[in-house]
Amino acid sequence: MLVAVIAALIFRPDHTVTADFDYSSMPVLGDPDAPVKIVEYGDYQCPACRNFSVNIKPDLVKNDIDTGKAAIYFQDLIVLDGNGIEDSNRLALAAHSIYHQDKDSFWKFNEAVYREQGEEKTGWATTDFIVNLAKSENLSIDYDLLRSDIENKTYQSEVDASNAQADKLGVQSTPSFYINGKLYNGNYTSSDIQQAIESAGKGE
């Protein structure tokens, strides 16, 4: 019991620390000069991340992103791979490949993956599935290069770096959000997150 308590104290994110992000290196939805910057740590297999993408994010885009109040950034946090399943990592590799080919296509892919998400830890996110999904979304990319980047793990170092930063911050679950560098610990509802955005916009 003592070991568990110590571990929880060691790995619990510090809510008082402001995280230092290199926003210029991350995919961004919205105006990079927006006063409020939201960083989402997500896993493409995560059902809660899907819920955010499908049911909550559209309201944020309409009310906060499109109006210039906030911008949202994405970082990988692989938490659901294991036992020979590498769906989350494979999807992250694909997302990085797409981002480097055409930044505007990144969010189309991100949203399509969550919309078409399969059951976690079942091996649903094969390379063929990913490439076919990209084609179905008519992404402006080289699909052969996408396949090659996935199979050769071209951007594994970037995926690993994102995970390493999350580990350094003590983030262990998805989705997790930082708003202007501060860990958000409120409810995952549109109204609560929008309230947090309003507070951050006022410097609170």
Side-chain angles (χ1 to χ4, degrees), residues 7-22:
L9 290 174
I10 291 174
F11 293 108
R12 182 178 298 157
D14 188 340
H15 296 266
T16 65
V17 172
T18 300
D20 184 20
F21 293 108
D22 179 11

Side-chain angles (χ1 to χ4, degrees), residues 55-202:
N55 298 315
I56 299 173
K57 194 175 77 173
D59 286 340
L60 298 181
V61 169
K62 178 182 177 181
N63 297 317
D64 301 287
I65 307 300
D66 288 347
T67 58
K69 295 179 182 178
I72 188 166
Y73 298 77
F74 189 85
Q75 286 283 76
D76 303 295
L77 178 53
I78 310 300
V79 296
L80 290 173
D81 278 353
N83 298 322
I85 300 298
E86 295 186 1
D87 285 356
S88 299
N89 192 70
R90 191 176 299 111
L91 288 160
L93 290 170
H96 281 260
S97 173
I98 291 167
Y99 174 71
H100 283 285
Q101 289 194 55
D102 179 55
K103 290 179 171 57
D104 290 338
S105 291
F106 171 87
W107 289 103
K108 289 183 66 177
F109 177 75
N110 177 285
E111 291 164 8
V113 169
Y114 282 128
R115 188 178 63 247
E116 303 298 329
Q117 185 185 76
E119 292 293 326
E120 61 186 83
K121 298 184 178 181
T122 60
W124 59 276
T126 64
T127 300
D128 283 342
F129 170 87
I130 295 169
V131 173
N132 287 333
L133 180 62
K135 289 180 179 178
S136 72
E137 293 296 311
N138 294 314
L139 301 186
S140 301
I141 62 168
D142 182 325
Y143 301 113
D144 290 334
L145 179 57
L146 170 61
R147 180 180 295 277
S148 175
D149 283 341
I150 296 170
E151 293 175 347
N152 295 322
K153 298 186 174 183
T154 303
Y155 296 105
Q156 187 66 58
S157 62
E158 293 185 2
V159 177
D160 291 343
S162 180
N163 280 268
Q165 185 180 33
D167 185 60
K168 183 178 179 180
L169 291 170
V171 180
Q172 295 181 305
S173 62
T174 56
S176 288
F177 300 93
Y178 279 82
I179 300 178
N180 281 358
K182 295 181 180 179
L183 182 67
Y184 173 73
N185 61 354
N187 295 320
Y188 289 164
T189 66
S190 297
S191 59
D192 285 334
I193 296 176
Q194 284 174 348
Q195 184 175 356
I197 291 171
E198 293 290 341
S199 295
K202 297 174 183 177

Side-chain angles (χ1 to χ4, degrees), residues 45-62:
Q45 284 195 85
C46 166
C49 296
R50 181 187 188 278
N51 180 63
F52 171 74
S53 177
V54 173
N55 298 315
I56 299 173
K57 194 175 77 173
D59 286 340
L60 298 181
V61 169
K62 178 182 177 181

